[in-house]
Amino acid sequence: MKRLFKLAAIALVALSLNSCLAGKYMCNYALLPTPHGVDDIERTRHKADSLLPGSTAWYDSLKTLGILKDINITGYHDKKIHAVYAPAAKPEEANGTAIVVHGYTDNHYVFLYLVRMYRDEFNYNVMVPDLQYHGYSEGDAAQMGWFDRFDVEKWAEEAHKIFNDDFMVVHGVSMGAATTMMMSGDPLPDYVKCFVEDCGYSSAWDQFAHNLKQQFHLPPFPILNSASIVCKNRYGWGFKEASSAKQVAKSTQPMLFIHGDADDFVPFEQMWTNYNAKTMGYKEYYICEGAVHANSFAKDPETYKARVLNFLKTVHNMIEVGNL
């Protein structure tokens, strides 16, 4: 019996050591993708053009004309964070300000199709941040939206100082959508009126569990548990607390949920988890048929733009009649 207990103890120690090592690997694999930051700028510029041809030429032109400007501020954990901003195409008639938040391993270049949509077609001022560890911003690791939300809240304040309007929409894609939803549950200034989330995950835990199964054919326990502990010790947050759904449940502002029904990276079902979690305030959803991850705009740009614009008009109308 003593021998059995000894063997069991040895096996338990071996399992713990293995899961600890696997957890460290998983944490590094998930939160320290390479290349990143400035080393990845050229890839993302090409990606921007692949999503909407001419995007970087448009960007460079506005930069040359001095319309699109860079800004750096001190963000969460005293990291230098970067963004670009520009006034609406017709500044004197601007309909509001849009903050566009990029996804995992991307930066402010990638979703220029949304920046162009808001600025040139909807006549909104735009603020486009690089999240920490991405683009020109500093950072120790990807934060999966959890601490990123504090930086986006700072960018909202900066945008309000620059443009001084009272209508702001935050629009994020993928990890940027998770950031947007996580932000939505915090106390926010009155000028932050609504949110658009495009294919955001319900929590970092849910997303990593799906990736672990999809890429490595492994269950969450014990690797994900160990990786979450490593993340908590290193970066101050755990995978389960980084929950879009729990934050959305506290949100009262209008929100548009967008997802492609062919998305197998952030599973389509996670949209329903987030949508159903929102029980307060106005909400809509748009399901893009046949769209894979972060592909809804490319799949059907006219419907995408129409749905976003109609949502914004609805929110403006709600404000005018005193329902918001």
Side-chain angles (χ1 to χ4, degrees), residues 12-31:
L12 184 60
V13 169
L15 178 63
S16 298
L17 288 172
N18 286 336
S19 65
C20 183
L21 291 172
K24 288 181 179 179
Y25 174 83
M26 175 66 182
C27 187
N28 291 340
Y29 180 84
L31 303 183

Side-chain angles (χ1 to χ4, degrees), residues 32-273:
L32 299 173
T34 55
H36 75 96
V38 294
D39 294 333
D40 200 30
I41 293 297
E42 282 309 308
R43 178 192 67 86
T44 50
R45 279 175 62 89
H46 289 303
K47 185 175 178 180
D49 279 330
S50 73
L51 292 169
L52 183 63
S55 288
T56 56
W58 174 87
Y59 176 99
D60 293 340
S61 174
L62 290 189
K63 271 291 191 72
T64 300
L65 293 170
I67 296 171
L68 186 70
K69 299 178 180 180
D70 293 274
I71 181 172
N72 294 284
I73 62 172
T74 300
Y76 195 67
H77 284 156
D78 295 324
K79 302 297 184 182
K80 184 191 79 174
I81 53 176
H82 167 266
V84 296
Y85 68 94
K90 298 178 180 178
E92 67 284 355
E93 301 172 16
N95 291 310
T97 298
I99 299 182
V100 177
V101 191
H102 68 77
Y104 180 74
T105 72
D106 292 329
N107 56 48
H108 74 278
Y109 285 108
V110 173
F111 298 107
L112 289 178
Y113 64 81
L114 292 179
V115 183
R116 294 170 71 181
M117 176 187 79
Y118 275 106
R119 182 186 181 273
D120 293 355
E121 299 187 51
F122 296 176
N123 203 42
Y124 274 64
N125 309 306
V126 290
M127 173 74 77
V128 197
D130 286 328
L131 300 181
Q132 289 195 26
Y133 195 76
H134 297 76
Y136 295 107
S137 290
E138 296 178 342
D140 299 322
Q143 303 177 109
M144 304 308 293
W146 188 239
F147 288 158
D148 292 312
R149 75 191 202 274
F150 298 136
D151 288 335
V152 177
E153 288 167 18
K154 284 197 170 188
W155 287 123
E157 293 176 11
E158 290 298 319
H160 186 64
K161 291 176 187 176
I162 293 168
F163 300 118
N164 194 32
D165 63 53
D166 58 1
F167 187 100
M168 186 176 293
V169 54
V170 182
H171 187 142
V173 181
S174 192
M175 187 178 79
T179 305
T180 297
M181 288 186 282
M182 291 170 183
M183 175 184 174
S184 76
D186 288 347
L188 297 169
D190 288 342
Y191 52 78
V192 179
K193 297 298 186 185
C194 59
F195 302 91
V196 180
E197 76 84 18
D198 181 345
C199 65
Y201 41 82
S202 50
S203 71
W205 178 277
D206 292 343
Q207 185 57 35
F208 290 151
H210 173 72
N211 295 149
L212 197 59
K213 180 179 179 181
Q214 185 183 54
Q215 297 177 36
F216 300 102
H217 309 289
L218 292 170
F221 181 82
I223 296 173
L224 207 57
N225 304 73
S226 177
S228 183
I229 292 170
V230 172
C231 181
K232 184 74 172 179
N233 291 335
R234 282 186 188 174
Y235 308 120
W237 60 277
F239 295 166
K240 288 187 177 180
E241 69 183 287
S243 172
S244 305
K246 288 179 181 178
Q247 287 290 99
V248 164
K250 296 187 287 183
S251 172
T252 58
Q253 296 103 323
M255 185 173 293
L256 171 60
F257 298 80
I258 300 173
H259 221 106
D261 64 4
D263 191 342
D264 64 353
F265 185 76
V266 175
F268 174 60
E269 292 75 17
Q270 291 195 32
M271 189 207 79
W272 291 122
T273 300

Side-chain angles (χ1 to χ4, degrees), residues 2-18:
K2 289 182 179 179
R3 179 188 168 107
L4 185 62
F5 280 127
K6 187 175 181 179
L7 289 172
I10 292 171
L12 184 60
V13 169
L15 178 63
S16 298
L17 288 172
N18 286 336

